[in-house]
Amino acid sequence: MGRLSYQDKDSTDALGQTDPEIAAIIEKELLRQQSRLELIASENIASRAVLQVQGSILTNKYAEGYPKARYYGGCEYVDAAEELACRRAMALFGAEHANVQPHAGAPANLAVYVALLKPGDSILGMDLAHGGHLTHGAPASITGRYYRAYSYGVDRASGLIDLDQVRSLALKVRPRLIIAGASAYPRHIDFSAFAGIAHETGAFFMVDMAHVAGLIAAGLHPNPVPLAHVVTSTTHKTLRGPRGGFILCRREYAAAIDKAVFPGLQGGPLMHVIAAKAVAFKEAQTPEFIAYQKKVLENAAVLAQILMDYGYHVVTGGTDTHMILLDLRSRGITGLEAERLLDQVGITANKNAIPFDPQNRRVTSGLRLGTPVVTSRGMGPQEMELIGRLIHETLESRHYPGNLERVKKQVSQLCSDFPIY
Ligand SMILES: *Cc1c(COP(=O)(O)O)cnc(C)c1O
């Protein structure tokens, strides 16, 4: 990189010398990521290019405002980065407008509410307890306090979103905004049915595609952009970019959305992250990325099938996405116990409420699994079969510590066979 290089061989030493404590923590975290099987559905492994940009000197720049309309001088280069990020996001998802400034998924959602609603307006989103997200109106979130929040759920027998309930609730409460999108729902959502209900009831329609954005970018999941007034997302889940958020919308809402993000909610944009988002959007246009997302889906299908073969109840009977939700009730184990046992053998997953969960939120009856990280590591169907067996053996051998030791060795071997970088 020449004379102005800031990221050279010494850069790791710079941290080591300035702050050995943080350097040691990062070293340990790298080892943890390297040596454990990550099955948390919302995580992924960003590319080296993304990491490089996110750790770049772009962090030094203040750029309140938007390209060519900033409140600071010297923005010509960060302007180019933000314009590139917007153009790429629009091309990738077929959107008329993109705002790439939201610091994460939650503020992206809040920005949409600020743009389209007044405090006290009603919103209709998926129940957190049925797989929705906090920011879709849960009482613990500001979105459930500043707006009158109503929620729909899934059908008890099928586990699928109850569209009749969505419609009857929408007709009854006449929400100003209907939200589709979830954090723990393994199936395609019928965006067009939602759009129809929103149209019928005069509501805005927003889709939060945080979990499935990577699949959508690859053309492997229905794209909500043509059907929704606004679409929000994260960049760090299946999309495999830096930690962040973005908003896509129709041209007519562009000004309101931009104003809501800045100056409505945020101050200066994180230009190093925005440039890294641009890199991720570029990566997402490649054939390699599409091949990756195909494998994510294939791996999830194989893992779901093997677990069903072992007798596990998979909510909705399978998956259309990168995500699997296990209902552990028939196995006599709670989500919390399962999470802890898996942790002991080096498998990281999260306990998760299942719809109509009899256990409380801190215990739960479910386990959420996802394949984005293991697929980024290069694992395929064979490894998924092994992982399914290891999960089964772990949950079965809670009373036999010797067995856990054996599983742990196999997890460790698998991880060293598939390095994260
Ligand atoms: C993860 C997620 C978010 C929030 O994203 P953060 O970056 O953690 O703020 C919002 N909506 C859905 C559906 C999510 O899954």
Side-chain angles (χ1 to χ4, degrees), residues 34-150:
Q34 187 79 253
S35 61
R36 300 179 61 92
L37 268 183
E38 183 62 70
L39 293 174
I40 291 180
S42 47
E43 294 187 11
N44 213 328
I45 313 234
S47 71
R48 283 177 182 280
V50 165
L51 294 186
Q52 187 180 348
V53 176
Q54 208 172 353
S56 74
I57 49 92
L58 292 174
T59 195
N60 297 337
K61 188 71 198 97
Y62 239 115
E64 275 182 353
Y66 288 97
K68 305 200 170 69
R70 307 280 192 185
Y71 291 83
Y72 288 80
C75 288
E76 57 269 40
Y77 303 117
V78 292
D79 274 8
E82 184 166 343
E83 282 170 345
L84 211 45
C86 288
R87 270 209 304 281
R88 287 177 182 166
M90 287 155 65
L92 200 53
F93 297 99
E96 292 179 0
H97 179 73
N99 185 309
V100 294
Q101 292 196 3
H103 299 331
N109 288 348
L110 198 54
V112 175
Y113 305 163
V114 167
L116 302 181
L117 311 173
K118 288 190 205 43
D121 278 354
S122 33
I123 60 176
L124 176 60
M126 190 169 182
D127 192 341
L128 178 64
H130 284 212
H133 191 262
L134 273 169
T135 55
H136 299 177
S141 153
I142 194 170
T143 61
R145 290 200 282 136
Y146 283 23
Y147 304 99
R148 194 185 306 275
Y150 297 90

Side-chain angles (χ1 to χ4, degrees), residues 65-406:
Y66 288 97
K68 305 200 170 69
R70 307 280 192 185
Y71 291 83
Y72 288 80
C75 288
E76 57 269 40
Y77 303 117
V78 292
D79 274 8
E82 184 166 343
E83 282 170 345
L84 211 45
C86 288
R87 270 209 304 281
R88 287 177 182 166
M90 287 155 65
L92 200 53
F93 297 99
E96 292 179 0
H97 179 73
N99 185 309
V100 294
Q101 292 196 3
H103 299 331
N109 288 348
L110 198 54
V112 175
Y113 305 163
V114 167
L116 302 181
L117 311 173
K118 288 190 205 43
D121 278 354
S122 33
I123 60 176
L124 176 60
M126 190 169 182
D127 192 341
L128 178 64
H130 284 212
H133 191 262
L134 273 169
T135 55
H136 299 177
S141 153
I142 194 170
T143 61
R145 290 200 282 136
Y146 283 23
Y147 304 99
R148 194 185 306 275
Y150 297 90
S151 59
Y152 59 85
V154 301
D155 176 72
R156 195 184 269 271
S158 66
L160 301 175
I161 289 174
D162 184 349
L163 285 165
D164 293 335
Q165 189 200 16
V166 177
R167 181 165 176 272
S168 62
L169 269 171
L171 284 167
K172 192 168 125 207
V173 308
R174 295 277 165 178
R176 185 121 175 88
L177 176 70
I178 296 177
I179 304 150
S183 298
Y185 186 72
R187 293 298 186 171
H188 289 164
I189 294 172
D190 189 344
F191 297 134
S192 116
F194 269 94
I197 294 167
H199 184 72
E200 183 185 354
T201 57
F204 286 116
F205 178 38
M206 164 183 142
V207 172
D208 178 348
M209 63 171 183
H211 257 274
V212 290
L215 300 172
I216 293 169
L220 300 170
H221 183 291
N223 182 359
V225 168
L227 294 164
H229 296 97
V230 187
V231 175
T232 60
S233 186
T234 61
T235 39
H236 49 273
K237 296 183 182 175
T238 49
L239 197 49
R240 206 164 63 177
R243 193 150 288 271
F246 65 101
I247 302 171
L248 304 171
C249 67
R250 296 184 189 159
R251 206 170 284 116
E252 56 192 303
Y253 305 110
I257 291 290
D258 287 354
K259 250 175 62 184
V261 174
F262 174 86
L265 277 171
Q266 297 188 168
L270 312 177
M271 296 316 307
H272 55 308
V273 180
I274 287 171
K277 288 172 189 172
V279 174
F281 294 140
K282 177 162 183 160
E283 289 174 345
Q285 293 165 353
T286 60
E288 291 75 17
F289 185 83
I290 295 169
Y292 161 68
Q293 298 293 351
K294 280 190 181 146
K295 287 186 207 140
V296 166
L297 291 179
E298 187 191 0
N299 282 344
V302 170
L303 185 57
Q305 188 56 55
I306 191 96
L307 287 164
M308 289 189 286
D309 292 347
Y310 280 118
Y312 289 80
H313 181 233
V314 171
V315 177
T316 77
T319 178
D320 297 328
T321 65
H322 61 298
M323 184 194 294
I324 297 156
L325 190 57
L326 290 185
D327 174 350
L328 297 169
R329 286 176 301 176
S330 61
R331 316 294 299 201
I333 186 169
T334 66
L336 181 63
E337 286 170 320
E339 181 186 301
R340 288 194 176 147
L341 272 170
L342 290 168
D343 192 57
Q344 283 180 44
V345 299
I347 297 176
T348 311
N350 63 281
K351 64 174 187 285
N352 208 104
I354 52 165
F356 309 99
D357 203 320
Q359 299 282 359
N360 73 43
R361 160 169 312 291
R362 272 181 288 278
V363 176
T364 81
S365 305
L367 194 68
R368 191 183 66 160
L369 304 171
T371 51
V373 173
V374 289
T375 310
S376 284
R377 295 178 79 151
M379 295 181 197
Q382 255 185 305
E383 286 74 32
M384 296 309 117
E385 292 193 8
L386 175 58
I387 290 171
R389 177 161 67 73
L390 294 174
I391 290 171
H392 174 60
E393 287 181 11
T394 304
L395 300 188
E396 284 296 289
S397 40
R398 59 198 119 132
H399 306 304
Y400 310 100
N403 288 0
L404 291 178
E405 236 8 82
R406 199 165 39 81

